[in-house]
Amino acid sequence: MDPIRGLHHVTAVARDPQRNVDFYRNVLGQRLVKRTVNFDSPDTYHFYFADETGTPGSVLTFFAWPNMRRGVRGNGETNTVAYNVPVDSLTFWEERLKQNGIQSNPIETRFGQNVLAFTDPDGMGVELIEVRDLPAIQHWEDGPIPQAYALRGFHSVTLWLDEIGPTSALLTQGMGYLAAGQEGNRYRFTGDANELGHIVDLVHRPGKMQADFGAGSIHHIAFRVPNDDAQVNYQSALSTAGYRVSPVMDRSYFHSIYFREQGGVLFELATDTPGFLIDESKDTLGEALKLPAWFEPNRSEIAASLQPLTLNPVEKVSAS
Ligand code: ZN
């Protein structure tokens, strides 16, 4: 079976849709490439933030659930999503975050790379990690951040786990990841196929508190499979290995299967195809509310049930 090609997207929960868009788009400089609804609860938004075109491995998505209480970080969930950034950009980010009311931790070094950690306005863990050989993505030219500082897709995710054995076995034996080292209680695994989002870190926290799901929690992490055939192969192999795997679901921009790994974290395998340009042109990505065909007959009711959203003007940072 083909090894997994790194992360496809990460999906988390935010409370206030406007605050979520203002932070990821206007402060971090991620393009809102899709504005749709949660297919299981169409009176709430589902936002996709990514590079200019929605390259898999750069896509952070949010369910905006205004009535959700705040979650608590703990074992059995994905704790942090980390982005690649250019070397020597962390002092810029430290200052930019501070100007926007976000206090970051002191810069630390991990596996030889500088890491700036902070929490987003909902309390989700985010890290920016300086990487020498940056992966290729599509830079958002109309965004606020010049390329010298801009986020370059995902570096990694970090899972907090009571036991790491079953999860590491799944990654290495079932998904094509390689064990790549240990620092303290952090165990690193890398995919061999891809430079974008190809790292998974497991943090071993035996006996520590379990996570309590809510706003600021990461709902699931999705890994890349190239196409539907590869997905079906994984579906049957994972079922044979004892996982309860969902049927294939049509998510409009990709096809998905879901299963919960033994550490408690919800995993998804998502196809690269058909992608985010299937129902909008590159120039207008994210501007209109997009709905799957089965919701179109109810478009006006759905649109009326959503909070109004403004795409505030982007203030470009000068490159010097
Ligand atoms: Zn997903």
Side-chain angles (χ1 to χ4, degrees):
M1 207 153 44
D2 293 335
I4 289 293
R5 304 169 74 195
L7 294 166
H8 183 285
H9 66 270
V10 173
T11 294
V13 180
R15 202 149 51 178
D16 182 336
Q18 186 67 56
R19 185 175 68 176
N20 183 242
V21 170
D22 287 344
F23 183 69
Y24 281 94
R25 179 176 178 275
N26 294 65
V27 177
L28 290 190
Q30 297 300 283
R31 188 178 186 192
L32 178 66
V33 293
K34 201 62 68 180
R35 184 194 310 199
T36 182
V37 294
N38 183 312
F39 290 3
D40 302 314
S41 121
D43 59 340
T44 56
Y45 283 114
H46 190 181
F47 297 134
Y48 291 75
F49 301 97
D51 69 352
E52 183 155 69
T53 55
T55 302
S58 74
V59 184
L60 180 60
T61 99
F62 285 90
F63 301 134
W65 289 336
N67 300 319
M68 194 78 184
R69 69 191 166 74
R70 202 165 171 132
V72 180
R73 305 290 79 77
N75 286 353
E77 69 174 5
T78 302
N79 178 273
T80 304
V81 58
Y83 285 96
N84 302 300
V85 291
V87 168
D88 293 334
S89 65
L90 287 187
T91 46
F92 162 82
W93 281 110
E94 223 171 6
E95 184 59 30
R96 182 169 177 80
L97 289 166
K98 196 159 107 188
Q99 282 167 2
N100 286 278
I102 302 271
Q103 187 62 48
S104 51
N105 295 346
I107 295 171
E108 58 181 296
T109 304
R110 188 189 296 155
F111 292 101
Q113 295 174 317
N114 294 328
V115 178
L116 182 69
F118 58 95
T119 55
D120 83 357
D122 284 290
M124 185 183 103
V126 183
E127 290 169 348
L128 306 180
I129 300 183
E130 288 184 346
V131 172
R132 217 156 276 288
D133 296 313
L134 287 162
I137 59 152
Q138 305 288 320
H139 179 65
W140 182 28
E141 297 294 344
D142 294 332
I145 311 295
Q147 204 156 1
Y149 306 124
L151 277 52
R152 296 285 188 93
F154 292 145
H155 174 280
S156 55
V157 284
T158 299
L159 281 54
W160 279 10
L161 300 172
D162 217 53
E163 300 239 13
I164 64 157
T167 310
S168 63
L170 168 66
L171 288 170
T172 54
Q173 291 158 35
M175 296 170 66
Y177 277 76
L178 306 167
Q182 175 191 358
E183 269 191 16
N185 63 344
R186 176 181 295 266
Y187 296 77
R188 176 152 291 186
F189 297 84
T190 56
D192 70 350
N194 197 290
E195 289 298 304
L196 198 53
H198 74 309
I199 296 172
V200 177
D201 280 354
L202 307 182
V203 171
H204 189 207
R205 305 171 79 245
K208 296 272 172 61
M209 195 176 79
Q210 290 293 306
D212 185 17
F213 182 76
S217 298
I218 294 176
H219 186 272
H220 63 266
I221 53 176
F223 296 89
R224 289 175 73 182
V225 288
N227 52 44
D228 295 321
D229 288 345
Q231 186 172 58
V232 170
N233 289 341
Y234 266 103
Q235 189 184 34
S236 88
L238 289 162
S239 299
T240 303
Y243 292 96
R244 288 178 51 185
V245 187
S246 78
V248 175
M249 307 216 192
D250 180 1
R251 297 312 194 191
S252 292
Y253 312 106
F254 43 84
H255 302 147
S256 300
I257 57 174
Y258 302 85
F259 65 100
R260 204 168 286 280
E261 58 84 37
Q262 291 179 62
V265 181
L266 188 60
F267 278 19
E268 172 183 346
L269 302 187
T271 55
D272 281 3
T273 52
F276 294 96
L277 295 167
I278 190 175
D279 61 356
E280 281 180 295
S281 76
K282 182 179 155 184
D283 291 345
T284 60
L285 278 176
E287 288 176 14
L289 177 67
K290 305 308 287 187
L291 298 175
W294 61 91
F295 284 148
E296 278 298 346
N298 305 106
R299 171 174 280 273
S300 54
E301 296 93 309
I302 289 171
S305 70
L306 294 165
Q307 288 188 20
L309 184 77
T310 306
L311 290 187
N312 286 314
V314 159
E315 287 175 39
K316 278 184 173 285
V317 173
S318 79
S320 60

